[in-house]
Amino acid sequence: MGFHLHAERGEQAADLVSRFDPVFWTVNFPRPMMAAVTTTAPDALRVDAVFYRRDDLAGLIWDSVDAHDHPLLGYETVRDYRDCRLSFRWRSSGVLPLDAVNGPVLTIEGRDAAGEPRSWYVRLWNYATGTPEDAAVAIDFARLDGGFLLPGEADPVWAGDIDRMFVSLVAPGYDAGGGELPAPLEGWVELTAIACEGAGSVIAIGDVVVPEHGLRICGGYDDSYHLTPARLLRNALQLGYRGAITHYVGMSHYFRLAAGVVTSEEGVLNVACAAWHADFARRARVLGYAVIWSLSYELFDAHAPEGWKQRAADGSPALTGWVPPSTLLSPACAAAMAYLHQVARAFVAIGVAAGLQPKFQVGEPWWWTMPDGRPCLYDEHVVAALAPVAVPSVRGALDASQCATLDRAGAMLAASTAALVAAVRSDQPACETYLLAYLPTVLDRAAPEARRMNMPVGWASPAFDVLQLEDYDWVTAGDTASSAAGAAAAVARLNYPVERQEYFAGFVLRPEERAQWRPIVAAADAARARGVHAAYLWALPQVMRDGLIVWAIEGEDGVQAFDDVAFPLALGREAEVSPAFSTDVVEGAGGYEMRSARWDGARTAYDVGPGVRGEADVAALLAFFRARRGPARAFRLRDPFDHHAMGETIGVGDARTRGFALVKRYADAERRITRPVAGSVSVSVDGRATQGFTVEPGGWVMLDVAPAKGAIVTASFDFDVAVRFAEDRLRVSRATYLAGEAASVPLVEVREA
């Protein structure tokens, strides 16, 4: 699988889009209120909202800078709106009407003609014709005034340098001073017949279409609630993802609240969430996607009932490291589990109503473990049901009674997931079920008995139709050995055949860590090579943020890309070695140049023809060429001038990472080494040699123990270069070598990392 990270669009395919296209509006709002924007027609959108506080305000936003789409699919940045005329029909209910004080205002943020930051507040009622809840609105940005009353309070807008604009929506009874509303209020706004006219009415937009590449995609509502489903699915489709989308319904945006706590009265899903997911499901079906609805035992802590939470022995609730934190619901709490049953049934029902086949995933169910190893097995419901013995920590050795407690907890967890699946199947008997297990937690090496409670044997096949495995902590640390061992351990314990397994690769939490996509894509490739039914990238919002493009390498399923064999002939003294770069040079007036390096490192070309010196060599060369199918398969070559590295720094310890990539440095340049010579690698940690390591495929050193924070890891090694034949045709004649002339046998380096 090939991949690339794009920071911006260059010469890739583009199209035009109307400014204010409904697909590209977003929403934002404060917790705990909820709002969603969906597209109801090519020229129409709808906002659904639920308000809990008097000062809740939702913004319907148009950004001049597209910070949400994949860089190859985003629209261009044009901040000048003076040649635009926007019009639409406004209809609303449950929000303050157009003519009210604090009614809908178009806030415009940008700079004035002098370049000074400014905001203008345009009362939409001043540009409306009709009633306060059903009106035609027309805005000419070249002749636009802010201010409440016109013309007396006119504040002329300079629309030549706008960053963003948003329409504010508040509920009846709005009070900037805050306070709870007597009861939640639901409202909606529809903008229809949206039209933009004028010379600035259209802008360019990326229109890349990546061919289907074989990977699937995951997404999550908590990361995408502010976007339209149409926008999200456009990215998935045009980036080449097909088949099923695993959609995590989240833990912080789907619920209804009463007095600040989740409730199932009048349904478990709030109106905005329900509207968004109905649109998402309908559009997914039209585009040919299946949707796997994923629900975890995780819930936003601030709104979770206290009695539902898993707790440690001292009563501390299970809290994740997110800010603000989420909590884990107790499998022993009947009310918490009944709530999850309702949530699962509601989401699957949305999909079925849209024409999708029912598919449901129980996502990462587990008993939480505190950072110091304390298991959260002591909430009142667990204590009443299991009478757990004291387990101060799951790390290290446990006695028989402690192991028995973990076994009983595991059985309870398995029973709770079985009941959740049964609840969904009570509505949809044909529902396909999935279990997602996060291996670095449930198979923690430091807590070898934890699998008793967090990978119970009650999950063994056929408890679920499909077993899905995820291990991104190991992957991003380069710990391929743990990934392989973890998958084997999970399969041995749960006994799902490989054709009923799927794999999740990812994720990249922070944009500055985008280099982690390399091992993530490699892990997806490794899982597919293992034969799993499907491999997914987690998650689409991060793919869009980091500009990831993946593609299938031609013939990768039928032709081995690399043969781990050496070129059969010794290189002659006249063999040519030619490192090369690719640089765009633009020469301007006066001889000044603009230079752009297209490659980060050199790519070497070789001519090994001088090594051909007799009929035996010709025969060996021709046989080798045929076996490689010309340029189709790469192989090893020993560069006569550059094949050894001594004391290269390959990493710095952080007390967590065990895997380090082999590199060789050339002054300020760095070269990844992917083909070290077997048996030649030696490793030192802070200057002390160690034998506690293995060399993994791709030139990765995997230490048995993660080096301490700040420890310098160095390596010495010999290495080969991955090369291929440069041409589909090889020309060697008897006359050439009998005359003492060197044949031309060009090879070219293959970039593997």
Side-chain angles (χ1 to χ4, degrees):
M1 187 71 64
F3 83 99
H4 194 266
L5 297 173
H6 288 267
E8 59 184 1
R9 183 165 57 85
E11 299 301 319
Q12 292 87 0
D15 201 347
L16 297 174
V17 67
S18 175
R19 266 178 165 170
F20 306 109
D21 185 302
V23 169
F24 300 101
W25 290 78
T26 63
V27 289
N28 203 358
F29 44 85
R31 295 183 186 274
M33 81 161 292
M34 185 61 202
V37 56
T38 55
T39 49
T40 55
D43 62 350
L45 61 82
R46 177 184 170 102
V47 178
D48 289 275
V50 56
F51 303 89
Y52 295 108
R53 295 180 51 84
R54 296 184 187 276
D55 58 346
D56 280 346
L57 181 152
L60 175 62
I61 304 166
W62 179 267
D63 285 297
S64 295
V65 178
D66 186 345
H68 304 294
D69 289 292
H70 189 283
L72 300 188
L73 294 173
Y75 55 79
E76 70 172 321
T77 299
V78 181
R79 291 185 168 87
D80 191 344
Y81 290 77
R82 289 173 295 174
D83 290 330
C84 295
R85 298 183 299 277
L86 172 65
S87 62
F88 52 85
R89 181 185 177 186
W90 171 284
R91 294 177 62 243
S92 64
S93 177
V95 301
L96 280 181
L98 289 169
D99 64 340
V101 175
N102 296 320
V105 169
L106 178 65
T107 298
I108 299 175
E109 299 174 341
R111 282 153 292 278
D112 62 20
E116 294 298 318
R118 270 292 316 263
S119 294
W120 295 268
Y121 306 96
V122 178
R123 189 186 185 203
L124 289 183
W125 183 241
N126 291 331
Y127 297 90
T129 304
T131 70
E133 293 184 323
D134 189 348
V137 178
I139 296 173
D140 184 344
F141 285 93
R143 300 172 182 82
L144 186 61
D145 290 316
F148 189 79
L149 296 176
L150 301 182
E153 298 176 357
D155 180 15
V157 174
W158 193 76
D161 194 3
I162 294 175
D163 291 327
R164 74 167 186 164
M165 55 188 81
F166 63 91
V167 178
S168 55
L169 309 173
V170 299
Y174 174 79
D175 183 347
E180 298 292 324
L181 288 166
L185 296 178
E186 296 176 352
W188 58 266
V189 171
E190 288 185 345
L191 274 57
T192 58
I194 299 172
C196 186
E197 300 176 320
S201 63
V202 295
I203 52 178
I205 187 170
D207 197 30
V208 166
V209 178
V210 177
E212 180 179 356
H213 42 62
L215 293 183
R216 295 181 177 181
I217 196 69
C218 305
Y221 187 48
D222 290 341
D223 294 326
S224 305
Y225 64 88
H226 58 300
L227 305 179
T228 65
R231 187 176 193 171
L232 197 67
L233 290 168
R234 172 180 179 261
N235 278 265
L237 184 74
Q238 295 196 210
L239 294 175
Y241 300 97
R242 300 291 189 273
I245 295 175
T246 298
H247 177 74
Y248 177 41
V249 302
M251 53 85 181
S252 62
H253 288 89
Y254 68 76
F255 40 68
R256 288 180 180 268
L257 297 176
V261 179
V262 298
T263 179
S264 58
E265 297 177 8
E266 301 181 12
V268 289
L269 307 184
N270 65 64
V271 64
C273 166
W276 192 96
H277 283 91
D279 189 49
F280 174 79
R282 179 180 63 83
R283 293 181 180 279
R285 180 188 60 79
V286 170
L287 294 175
Y289 287 111
V291 175
I292 301 170
W293 303 97
S294 170
L295 177 65
S296 74
Y297 283 37
E298 191 174 356
L299 193 63
F300 191 62
D301 178 66
H303 303 309
E306 289 298 317
W308 291 10
K309 301 177 184 180
Q310 296 180 25
R311 295 183 182 273
D314 65 355
S316 301
L319 298 179
T320 66
W322 302 110
V323 180
S326 54
T327 191
L328 274 295
L329 302 184
S330 172
C333 177
M337 295 299 100
Y339 177 76
L340 287 186
H341 294 182
Q342 290 178 277
V343 174
R345 293 168 64 186
F347 277 111
V348 174
I350 286 174
V352 171
L356 293 169
Q357 293 298 310
K359 297 177 182 290
F360 175 66
Q361 178 209 82
V362 184
E364 297 180 356
W366 56 41
W367 295 101
W368 189 252
T369 301
M370 296 294 197
D372 59 4
R374 288 176 295 147
C376 290
L377 299 176
Y378 300 94
D379 63 81
E380 59 177 325
H381 309 286
V382 177
V383 171
L386 300 183
V389 303
V391 183
S393 174
V394 293
R395 295 181 184 147
L398 302 181
D399 64 29
S401 64
Q402 292 171 327
C403 288
T405 287
L406 299 191
D407 285 334
R408 294 197 301 275
M412 175 174 282
L413 179 62
S416 76
T417 58
L420 180 54
V421 166
V424 174
R425 283 183 168 159
S426 68
D427 293 337
Q428 308 295 336
C431 183
E432 188 171 30
T433 61
Y434 300 72
L435 171 72
L436 176 62
Y438 183 62
L439 298 183
T441 293
V442 301
L443 298 178
D444 185 358
R445 285 186 297 269
E449 303 297 345
R451 69 188 64 189
R452 294 174 180 269
M453 65 176 183
N454 279 335
M455 187 176 277
V457 292
W459 284 348
S461 178
F464 297 87
D465 294 312
V466 179
L467 174 65
Q468 296 176 317
L469 302 178
E470 184 178 15
D471 61 354
Y472 57 82
D473 268 3
W474 290 337
V475 169
T476 55
D479 193 350
T480 56
S482 289
S483 291
V491 172
R493 187 168 178 82
L494 302 181
N495 200 31
Y496 287 82
V498 70
E499 63 271 14
R500 288 175 50 212
Q501 297 174 38
E502 295 185 343
Y503 178 75
F504 281 34
F507 60 80
V508 181
L509 182 61
R510 302 175 184 85
E512 61 269 22
E513 297 171 339
R514 61 203 299 263
Q516 292 178 346
W517 285 113
R518 181 180 298 280
I520 287 170
V521 173
D525 276 343
R528 295 206 308 161
R530 186 164 60 86
V532 299
H533 177 256
Y536 298 74
L537 292 186
W538 175 265
L540 180 57
Q542 298 166 348
V543 168
M544 295 158 63
R545 178 197 69 195
D546 294 340
L548 178 70
I549 289 285
V550 295
W551 63 89
I553 298 173
E554 184 178 356
E556 67 178 348
D557 292 330
V559 178
Q560 185 179 347
F562 183 87
D563 289 341
D564 199 7
V565 296
F567 184 70
L569 305 180
L571 301 191
R573 289 181 298 176
E574 294 118 15
E576 295 182 2
V577 180
S578 306
F581 288 89
S582 178
T583 308
D584 293 328
V585 180
V586 178
E587 189 173 296
Y592 293 101
E593 292 181 344
M594 179 184 299
R595 296 177 296 278
S596 176
R598 300 174 63 187
W599 297 348
D600 290 336
R603 187 183 187 193
T604 307
Y606 300 87
D607 192 338
V608 297
V612 181
R613 281 291 184 252
E615 291 189 23
D617 287 350
V618 171
L621 176 62
L622 291 176
F624 191 78
F625 182 80
R626 290 178 181 275
R628 308 287 82 72
R629 300 185 187 179
R633 300 187 181 193
F635 50 92
R636 288 178 178 265
L637 180 75
R638 185 68 52 87
D639 187 323
F641 305 107
D642 186 10
H643 60 267
H644 183 70
M646 178 65 71
E648 295 284 354
T649 297
I650 60 173
V652 179
D654 60 5
R656 182 179 70 93
T657 302
R658 296 169 54 220
F660 300 89
L662 292 176
V663 297
K664 182 174 181 180
R665 291 177 177 81
Y666 305 82
D668 294 333
E670 183 178 289
R671 180 184 190 182
R672 268 285 282 117
I673 303 302
T674 60
R675 300 293 168 180
V677 175
S680 73
V681 180
S682 60
V683 177
S684 296
V685 178
D686 267 351
R688 297 178 181 176
T690 178
Q691 301 299 317
F693 71 92
T694 57
V695 180
E696 302 292 334
W700 285 85
V701 168
M702 187 62 56
L703 294 166
D704 295 347
V705 178
K709 190 173 183 178
I712 305 300
V713 183
T714 60
S716 300
F717 48 88
D718 292 333
F719 63 93
D720 294 328
V721 182
V723 298
R724 63 169 173 83
F725 287 99
E727 299 174 354
D728 282 307
R729 180 173 297 174
L730 183 63
R731 296 181 179 87
V732 181
S733 69
R734 287 174 57 89
T736 299
Y737 70 80
L738 289 176
E741 298 176 3
S744 178
V745 183
L747 309 177
V748 63
E749 182 178 0
V750 174
R751 187 69 57 83
E752 293 188 299

